Structure formats: structure tokens, C-alpha cells
Amino acid sequence: MSFLDLFLIALGLSMDAFAVSICKGLSVQRMQPRHALACGVWFGAFQALMPLLGYLLGAGFAGLIGRFSHWVAFALLAFIGVNMLRESFGGEEEAPDPDFSPKAMLPLALATSIDALAAGVSFAAMQVQILPAVGLIGVTTCLFSAIGVKVGNLFGVRFKALAERAGGAVLVLMGLKILLEGLGIF
């Protein structure tokens, strides 16, 4: 898997955290660097941790699915992407919460990183070098989450659905690319 492929997956996976960070930025009257840092660190750390856990879980049965790894990667990435697209059109909006304490951030970090667990399983199936992959995912998510707080504080929730749609589309397209490459078509 190329660096560009990994970066696009990292970008797609970071869009849930970006969307939540926009809402967190919307919730604060006066944005401070600690708000952006809190979102960046929490979301970046969990987005790096979850694919590592998925990889470790998936590595146990990667040999069994090696011949079908492109199908597994496609199915998982397409599922994650379609779910993100579906959620972006859901229309349910939550009231923004200005709480950046660990008690508030931990559930958000877990919720936004569950998709990355499945991506880690697909990484194991494709025998991706996991440490550079999770590092890139973590750093990308950290940066986009910190930016999301500022975007939310400046522009409000206008970009939340757009970010989720873009992330979902990128993941579906990456899954399709992996499938086509695995089938020898692309």
C-alpha cells in the first residue's frame, strides 16, 4: 500500500473526529489553544490505537484470509464509508457540549475511532506495515481535529455533514481501488 493510499485512508478515518471537533468548537464562546489540543490529542491517540488493536486481532487470522484480503479490505472500508455517508444525511443534531474534560472526551474518542478498528483488521489482511500506518492516522487525525475546533468556532456546524460525506466517499473509493488492484483490474 502506497503512502498516498495510507494518507487517504487516514484522511477518511479522521473525518468523524473532524466533524465532532467542529461541534466542540461551536460549543465554546472563546476558543483557546487548549480546546484544539484536547481534541487533537484525544482523537489522534484513539485513531492510532484502534487500528493497532484491529491489526493485532486481525493478524491472528490474516493467513486464513490472505487470498481474499482485497475483498476483506473492500468490505470493511466500504462498510465504514457507507455508514459515514448514511450518518451525514441523518439530520440528527446534538447540542454542542463545551466540556473538554476526560470524562467528556473519552466516549467521543472511542465513538469516533471504532471505524479505525475495522481498518486495522484490513491492514492485517493486506500485511500493511502497521507502525507507520497508525502513526500517519494518529497525526492526521490530531491535526484535523485541532483544525476542526477552530473551524467550528469560526463557521459553526455548516461543514460537519460535508466532512463526514467526504470521509465516507474517500473510504469507499479506497476500498474499491484495493479490490480492483487485488483482482488485477487496476
Side-chain angles (χ1 to χ4, degrees):
M1 183 173 287
S2 73
F3 176 81
L4 179 60
D5 291 342
L6 281 175
F7 177 71
L8 290 173
I9 289 172
L11 189 63
L13 290 172
S14 72
M15 288 299 114
D16 271 352
F18 179 69
V20 171
S21 295
I22 289 172
C23 291
K24 294 302 275 183
L26 180 66
S27 73
V28 294
Q29 295 289 329
R30 179 178 228 159
M31 195 203 131
Q32 298 176 3
R34 67 182 172 88
H35 297 127
L37 183 63
C39 281
V41 168
W42 276 100
F43 295 144
F46 274 80
Q47 285 286 23
L49 176 65
M50 293 304 247
L52 179 60
L53 291 175
Y55 181 88
L56 294 173
L57 291 171
F61 61 88
L64 298 173
I65 60 174
R67 293 184 323 182
F68 308 103
S69 63
H70 50 281
W71 283 103
V72 172
F74 168 70
L76 290 171
L77 291 174
F79 175 76
I80 296 166
V82 167
N83 190 46
M84 285 177 70
L85 288 167
R86 183 187 52 75
E87 287 175 3
S88 75
F89 290 105
E92 71 247 11
E93 293 297 324
E94 322 148 352
D97 181 7
D99 188 2
F100 286 83
S101 71
K103 180 181 171 186
M105 295 303 294
L106 178 62
L108 292 174
L110 278 170
T112 59
S113 64
I114 293 297
D115 297 347
L117 183 71
V121 172
S122 70
F123 289 165
M126 295 182 301
Q127 300 178 346
V128 170
Q129 290 184 346
I130 194 61
L131 293 181
V134 297
L136 183 61
I137 291 169
V139 168
T140 301
T141 302
C142 180
L143 292 173
F144 273 86
S145 297
I147 291 167
V149 175
K150 184 64 174 173
V151 167
N153 191 255
L154 290 175
F155 300 109
V157 76
R158 283 190 301 192
F159 297 110
K160 179 180 182 284
L162 181 64
E164 288 179 336
R165 288 179 194 139
V170 164
L171 291 177
V172 169
L173 291 172
M174 286 305 304
L176 185 60
K177 178 185 180 285
I178 290 167
L179 176 64
L180 294 175
E181 286 176 347
L183 294 173
I185 296 170
F186 189 58

